[in-house]
Amino acid sequence: MASLKDVRTKISGVGKTKQITKAMNMVASAKLRGAQARIEQFRSYADRFKAMLHDIAAAEEERVHPLLAARDEVKNVGIVLATSDRGLCGGFNANLTNAALTLAKAKRAEGKNVSFYCIGRKGRDAARKAGFPIVYDLSGHMGTLDFHLADRLGLEAIDAFLQGTVDEVHLVYGEFVNLMRQNPVVSQLLPLQAKEEKKEEAPAPTRVEYLYEPTGRALMEALLPRVIKALVYRGLLDTSASEHAARMAAMDNATRNCDDLIGSLTRLFNKTRQAAITKDLIDIVGGVEALKG
């Protein structure tokens, strides 16, 4: 049985760990409020932006923009992977990297070359460990996330697609649903799917005819790069909010585990102390009986 000093030291160490996990939970909660507000405000903008593109593309069916044109043969695939720079957020990063690597391995099995565009150290390390080339690395920027990061990444993906370096670009990010749910999402970024797929169950929505200036072709030239950057920015905002929510939940679980461990160690301490007292009493009683004999 452990000594009283050892048990007391363990209780003190777990108590200090609890203070750290509780502080990290509070920090993650404060950051989550700001990140959640940003993604909730930007989602409606991004959805409306893409819906407007759908209307313009439907009116310009006879004209195909290079960013909308699918390649006859896909040889090179780029995967934009957004993860966090730090750990201690449960299985959040593992879920994202597993989704990205599953996609990459499936494309490689089809005989295609796969390369990664990584935002976040965890995704970069996972892709590098799996043996995939990393052509663009933006690690260490998730803590200071702004639109300039999405602008740089969007331009890099657009240039690679237009120059023929990649034939497809997929975006992998963590979608923030609520505090307890963050889903890994894999979506095709390029070529951009301007027309939404029709669902058989839902009735076809009535499309509104708009009058716009200049021509639809000119609007497509100006709007398509912005839509792609907006989609990348949305993915980054979703990933940021999901990271803080996952870390908040992980630190909350860690704090509760510390409480449980302190309780079990306290019971062990009391049992150990009671056993020591009982042993001392037995020694005293035994000594008295020996003197009597």
Side-chain angles (χ1 to χ4, degrees):
M1 183 177 290
S3 65
L4 290 176
K5 182 178 180 181
D6 293 338
V7 178
R8 191 181 294 112
T9 301
K10 289 182 180 179
I11 293 175
S12 175
V14 175
K16 293 178 181 178
T17 303
K18 178 184 174 182
Q19 293 177 354
I20 295 173
T21 57
K22 191 173 182 180
M24 293 183 66
N25 177 277
M26 295 175 63
V27 172
S29 176
K31 291 183 177 180
L32 175 62
R33 285 194 291 269
Q36 185 176 358
R38 293 173 68 185
I39 185 57
E40 289 178 350
Q41 293 172 2
F42 191 78
R43 272 180 184 168
S44 58
Y45 169 79
D47 292 340
R48 186 56 189 159
F49 201 2
K50 195 170 183 180
M52 181 177 62
L53 174 66
H54 294 157
D55 293 334
I56 297 175
E60 299 289 322
E61 292 181 353
E62 70 281 0
R63 300 174 182 177
V64 179
H65 191 276
L67 296 180
L68 301 175
R71 304 288 165 80
D72 296 332
E73 184 180 4
V74 177
K75 295 182 179 180
N76 302 303
V77 177
I79 298 178
V80 179
L81 175 58
T83 61
S84 67
D85 289 316
R86 299 182 300 151
L88 297 178
C89 48
F92 170 68
N93 289 309
N95 293 335
L96 288 177
T97 54
N98 287 339
L101 292 178
T102 299
L103 174 64
K105 292 175 182 178
K107 295 295 184 181
R108 175 181 282 180
E110 297 174 0
K112 301 172 183 177
N113 300 318
V114 181
S115 57
F116 273 82
Y117 300 74
C118 296
I119 310 99
R121 292 191 179 95
K122 295 299 180 179
R124 178 201 64 186
D125 295 342
R128 182 177 294 167
K129 185 177 180 180
F132 290 99
I134 300 173
V135 297
Y136 201 66
D137 183 8
L138 287 175
S139 301
H141 291 78
M142 287 299 292
T144 56
L145 179 61
D146 56 16
F147 190 78
H148 295 292
L149 184 64
D151 182 73
R152 291 168 56 190
L153 185 59
L155 286 176
E156 186 71 20
I158 291 172
D159 291 342
F161 183 76
L162 294 178
Q163 294 173 6
T165 307
V166 294
D167 302 312
E168 275 185 3
V169 179
H170 298 268
L171 176 63
V172 181
Y173 65 95
E175 181 184 24
F176 175 77
V177 180
N178 51 46
L179 291 176
M180 302 305 298
R181 185 179 173 190
Q182 302 87 37
N183 297 329
V185 175
V186 179
S187 63
Q188 182 171 311
L189 190 63
L190 289 169
L192 188 63
Q193 298 175 346
K195 299 178 183 179
E196 293 181 338
E197 298 178 357
K198 296 181 180 179
K199 298 181 180 180
E200 297 179 358
E201 298 80 2
T206 303
R207 187 169 60 86
V208 180
E209 295 290 343
Y210 293 98
L211 297 176
Y212 45 80
E213 291 183 1
T215 63
R217 179 67 177 180
L219 285 176
M220 294 280 281
E221 291 283 352
L223 292 180
L224 276 173
R226 298 186 184 184
V227 170
I228 293 170
K229 295 174 185 177
L231 293 177
V232 173
Y233 188 52
R234 175 180 177 173
L236 297 182
L237 290 179
D238 259 313
T239 301
S240 177
S242 297
E243 174 195 354
H244 298 313
R247 182 171 291 111
M248 180 180 171
M251 292 301 103
D252 186 55
N253 291 334
T255 302
R256 288 199 298 268
N257 290 337
C258 287
D259 288 332
D260 295 339
L261 188 56
I262 289 175
S264 63
L265 288 174
T266 301
R267 289 191 293 271
L268 177 62
F269 178 82
N270 293 334
K271 289 180 181 179
T272 304
R273 183 178 59 180
Q274 189 63 42
I277 293 173
T278 303
K279 182 177 181 300
D280 291 341
L281 289 175
I282 291 174
D283 291 341
I284 293 173
V285 173
V288 171
E289 292 297 329
L291 291 175
K292 288 182 180 180

